[in-house]
Amino acid sequence: MVLCPVIRKLQHQWVVLASASPRRREILSQTGLRFEVVPSRFKENLQKASFPTPHAYAVETAKQKALEVACRMHQKDLRTPDIVIGADTIVTVGGLILEKPVDKQDAYSMLSRLNGTEHSVFTGVAIVHCCSTDGRLHTEVTEFYEETRVRFSELSEELLREYIDSGEPTDKAGGYGIQALGGMLVESAHGDFLNVVGFPLNRFCRELTRLYYPPPREGPQQLTHDPLPALDTRDNLSDAEGGGSDAAQSQEACGGRAEAGGERTQAEGAQEAASNRTGDGPPPFPIGLLELIDGFKASKALFTACKLKVFDLLKDETPLRASEIASRFGAPRGGVAQLLDVCVALGLLEKTRRAYSNTDLASRHLVSDVEYSLHGLVMHHNDHTWNLFSHLERAILAGPGPGHTSLGDKATHLSQNSRDQSKEATLGLLRATHGLAKLTARQVATAFDLSWFTSACHLGGCTGALAHALAREYPRLQVTVFDLPEVLEHVACFQPEGRQTEQIRFLPGDFFTESLPDADLYVLSRILSDWEDDKVHELLSRISGSCKPGGGLLLVDTVWDEEGPENATVDEARRAARNGLRRALDGLVWPPRAQRSLAEYRRLLQRHGFRDVAETRAGDQLHVLLGTRPSPREAVPTRPLRGRLHCRDA
Ligand SMILES: Cc1cn([C@@H]2O[C@H](COP(=O)(O)OP(=O)(O)OP(=O)(O)O)[C@@H](O)[C@H]2O)c(=O)[nH]c1=O
């Protein structure tokens, strides 16, 4: 089967993962799918003996988990999701089904059984499509399972005990987690690794592909003679494979049998494919386009939640209900609850038992005072960029070229415009740039081995995010951050407590007019692209004049690459294209940044006397170049350069 980009087919559907397993949530969220997590309350107590095979048991349990959630949401919460996904992982060895151990002793007996032998891990999955008509819930179940064979090494008693004491076995089928410490126990695994972890992602995508991209039929004629069956004529396969009386528990909870149409989605897909061929009927549903049309709403919901500091409120890990959150804002519950649910759909919040908590992503980046916070960046976009982009049409009609006045500030970099800005605006911009700089600082600092430098000067170094990363990586390095006084007056609140402070000093000054501090290594990060060639030459010649023989210049910037990266994967090429588009759009509302290719940057460095220019990347947006000033009489020792891509100049 050819896999298709099927996850996007679900993007406008309300998808619910009926599972409390953090692993399942993580595996699914890595696909970019937006879903809500509603753990199932189905008691995993089906009669194992009543199933012909262990996997039939896992599949039925998965189905019952999903149906319980679908029914509960429909009946109690009066909400009907489009799709509910349930899963159940079991380990089987010698005809025994092992689930999660109830205590350490149970874990010990499970692991002892698995010791030195091969076992199977089955994950049963149920995809339940739901709809509500006349107040009744209708469901169609697609179910499948995946098997992976796992072999454990011979494990010592001591290792088993230590492993059990680590606490890892507690919530894992068979008492081990292959993805973590339990990986030590595993000699080999045949089949899908993620299936062992708890969710067979590849099979899931194949099943969705089968559902959403049905094979085209032979021709229009067949369509006339072989009409698609009506929904209710399909057998309810899931009921036919029922697992004893317990199997009916969730349907009963719904006040009747949940109806299943079996393959409604396939039928609809086939209908869609047929109408494409004949030209009759509506065109295919333009999901990608609708997503584009709606895209701004998602951004604005994120901005609003950040502005209201929703993620800060939830940072203490105590989940809060919508009414509690609303009362903190002094706002009515209704609107706040809706915003919170949108955040759940966007993967920013989790909702369990009607209470909300931050997802890992939000805890890491949307709480305002965490190390890698992007809260400042979000606020900057909310307070400034959003307004600018509402004038995009005007900017486009004014057009680029001589005399073009963009809508944004005269220049984006603080060194150019901070004097004109109010203190609050400067601080806002610093918060935004600090968040981004922190994200890439370590990658930049380690792009090359800089341990042979003892002093560095970061020109236009703002809050010192990169300076701190350099100091952390190179304990011998003394770093000067050189930036305008208006910028430096705000930097105190960005300094991490007690770390490397003695290695870093902040010096006010203007790198165009004042003499540059002494250093072995000068650093310019995202500066040159803010300036046209004449200013760039002026700055580079000042640096070159101050740089001692044997000293270096580390240049970090975005690089213009019309062709896209060489040997790029499809993903990388798409990312590069998206970055390019974003830059082009930014250029319409702000003065366009000077776009230079890697070769141009390399030539610039060489022209100003830097040799042995090497380059590498830091993340997918930044390039890092390092050039050195030759020692007297060209006796420059070859330095050990540690970069992922070395491109030495001839
Ligand atoms: C073999 C293995 C299992 N697991 C976890 O074991 C739980 C199985 O239990 P379940 O009953 O299927 O799921 P649950 O955790 O109770 O969640 P729910 O879906 O709500 O029933 C799931 O978590 C899996 O990840 C791992 O994390 N790593 C492994 O190597």
Side-chain angles (χ1 to χ4, degrees), residues 618-630:
D620 58 82
Q621 300 203 12
L622 290 177
H623 276 75
V624 189
L625 291 93
L626 178 64
T628 44
R629 294 276 289 144

Side-chain angles (χ1 to χ4, degrees), residues 296 299-308 374-389 432:
F296 75 100
S299 300
K300 194 62 184 172
L302 161 65
F303 295 176
T304 307
C306 276
K307 184 108 189 168
L308 292 171
L374 293 175
H375 187 271
L377 183 67
V378 176
M379 285 301 86
H380 180 69
H381 283 326
N382 184 59
D383 297 341
H384 301 286
T385 323
W386 181 265
N387 294 334
L388 285 179
F389 269 78

